[in-house]
Structure formats: C-alpha cells, structure tokens
Amino acid sequence: MCGHCTERAALAERLATPTPWGAASPDPLLLPVHLQEAGDWRQVASTVAGGGDLVLAIIALCRAACARLMQGERASLRDVLAPALHARLEHWLASLDLPDAWTWLRDEAPAPCPLPLAIARDELDAYLAGWLRVPHALAPAWDEAMLHERLPRLSAALDVLHRDAPDDDRLLLLALSSPGATSPFSAIDLWLQRRAVQAVIAHRGVAFVLPLLERWRSGTLLAAVLRGDLDAPALQVLHAALAQRPDDGTEGTRDLRIAVEQALPR
C-alpha cells in the first residue's frame, strides 16, 4: 500500500461519513491522513497510543508548527501527545542536525519573525529536486528516511510561503507536481501537495484552476472540497467545469464529482 492508496481510502471514508475529520475513530491504517486533515488535530493526536508510530508524532509536530506560524498559537505537544510518544519525538528531534534557522522546531520556542523567505525557498527547492525530481535535476535523490527527516522543515517552509509570499511560483509547482508510486504509506508528500493546492486556491481563486483542470490531481481538489475551502460561488464554478469534463472513470474523479454535488447549497 502506497501513499496514494492511503490518501484515496481516507478521502473516500471522509466522503462517505460527512462528519468532521477525526470526529469518529478512524481506521488506524488511515490515521496519518486523518491527522493531516483534521481541523481539531489535537484531538486526533491525543488518541495515538504512547507506543504509536513516530511518523504520527512528526505529523503532529508539523501541525503544531503550522498553528504557531499561521494562527500565532503556542500550544505545547507535551499537552497533546502521550508522554512516551512525546519522549520518542524529542529523542528523534535531538538526533537531527537542524540548521540554525529551524532549531525552533526542536524546542517549541517562538519562531523567528519573520522567517527568512530565502531559507524557506531553498528548503522547498531541495525537496522539488531531491524527492519530486522537478525540474530534472542532478541533485542526489532523496530516500524515504530523508523525506521524513526533512518534513518539519518542509512543512514550515510551505507555511512561510503561503503566509508571506503567496504568489511564489514554487507553490504552483508543488501543487502541480504529483509524487510517484514511491509515495510513502504516511502520504506526507501528498499532504504537502494538498496544502500547496490549498495555498494556490486561497490566493489565486478556483477560476485559476479551471483552465488547467486536467493537470490537478483529483485528490487535492477533493480534499479542498471536503475541508470546506470553497465557498458557494466557487463550488458552482467547479461543478460546471466538471460537468463539461469527460469522466475518466477513476475513483478520484468520481469522488470529486460527488463531493462537489454534496457541498453545493440546496
């Protein structure tokens, strides 16, 4: 099972059960995606057992950093994660050789304000070249361990661009660059792509998506609809565009059509 399968199953489960993300106990196999998407991510993270997967703690770390960067929150993960899992996360963070610009991720100290855009851009450039291989670069390819190690920095860098440079073309490149079959079970690279799509739509509007509709991965748009990112006029526009698009028969396309129809005002 790869990340694409995990994401597709989690989104389909959410579509079939129209309750807030994390309101019901999710399938443990789908918990990474639920934690990524849940509005009340702290509630989902608090259900992870002390011996739970370290990857879930890393995702929670990214959600906490996002709350600090985007909403100015200062909640500590000590109050969210089970003590044993928090200790595992702390040990993992201590093993990382974090550059000075990212050490605030380790100790939950206030993030520099502003975070240098150049550093955030460099971080995303390294991800594009090393994991997504975009553009076709000579940079060494990342393995899955490197992807998870760099995730907290990548997640924060994405937030910085979303907040401070929403017109940066890197966001569009991330939104349109789909990971291949090597996407890990945790689907964290697909999560970064979904968030890039969220940033593009928030800044440029859904009308920007329509001329390139065939280039947007349906899962990213489905997540946007399920999150409630689109208002009624945007949903109407997307619904009309999908009606004119041939159905390619894939589950993702079918689920997107259903989600848009369900979200339309009655």
Side-chain angles (χ1 to χ4, degrees):
M1 195 177 196
C2 70
H4 290 274
C5 300
T6 308
E7 180 198 66
R8 185 163 54 249
L11 294 177
E13 181 180 85
R14 173 67 178 82
L15 178 62
T17 309
T19 57
W21 284 100
S25 298
D27 183 332
L29 295 177
L30 308 182
L31 191 53
V33 177
H34 280 265
L35 183 55
Q36 293 160 17
E37 291 293 331
D40 189 358
W41 63 268
R42 293 175 182 82
Q43 186 277 328
V44 178
S46 68
T47 66
V48 180
D53 190 345
L54 176 62
V55 172
L56 294 172
I58 297 172
I59 294 171
L61 174 69
C62 295
R63 293 297 311 261
C66 180
R68 294 160 67 194
L69 286 170
M70 306 300 281
Q71 288 90 39
E73 298 181 11
R74 290 289 306 276
S76 171
L77 283 178
R78 293 183 186 276
D79 303 325
V80 177
L81 298 177
L85 185 56
H86 185 266
R88 287 186 65 194
L89 177 65
E90 290 283 279
H91 179 76
W92 178 79
L93 283 169
S95 72
L96 301 182
D97 185 18
L98 288 175
D100 290 344
W102 301 111
T103 54
W104 62 273
L105 290 167
R106 176 182 292 136
D107 56 18
E108 299 184 18
C113 187
L115 270 171
L117 275 174
I119 292 174
R121 287 172 170 140
D122 288 347
E123 199 69 40
L124 295 177
D125 284 342
Y127 170 71
L128 284 162
W131 183 255
L132 296 178
R133 312 304 285 167
V134 177
H136 298 295
L138 299 178
W142 290 10
D143 58 16
E144 190 173 318
M146 174 69 79
L147 174 64
H148 284 87
E149 178 182 315
R150 296 288 283 267
L151 178 63
R153 291 154 57 179
L154 292 167
S155 178
L158 180 56
D159 289 332
V160 169
L161 261 65
H162 185 178
R163 185 189 67 185
D164 298 337
D167 57 346
D168 193 299
D169 285 342
R170 288 171 181 81
L171 292 173
L172 180 58
L173 190 55
L174 287 165
L176 292 173
S177 300
S178 297
T182 56
S183 177
F185 178 78
S186 58
I188 53 174
D189 47 0
L190 302 179
W191 181 35
L192 293 174
Q193 187 187 26
R194 294 196 305 272
R195 289 165 58 193
V197 170
Q198 183 181 26
V200 169
I201 291 176
H203 181 61
R204 303 177 188 245
V206 74
F208 178 83
V209 172
L210 301 184
L212 303 170
L213 194 56
E214 71 282 354
R215 294 187 58 189
W216 300 88
R217 193 168 59 80
S218 57
T220 63
L221 298 178
L222 174 56
V225 174
L226 293 174
R227 273 195 307 268
D229 291 348
L230 307 184
D231 59 17
L235 286 168
Q236 293 283 5
V237 169
L238 181 56
H239 182 259
L242 290 171
Q244 299 174 20
R245 181 186 182 190
D247 189 344
D248 60 12
T250 65
E251 291 182 16
T253 300
R254 184 169 61 250
D255 287 350
L256 176 58
R257 292 176 186 274
I258 293 171
V260 171
E261 290 171 0
Q262 291 181 353
L264 284 170
R266 300 301 178 186

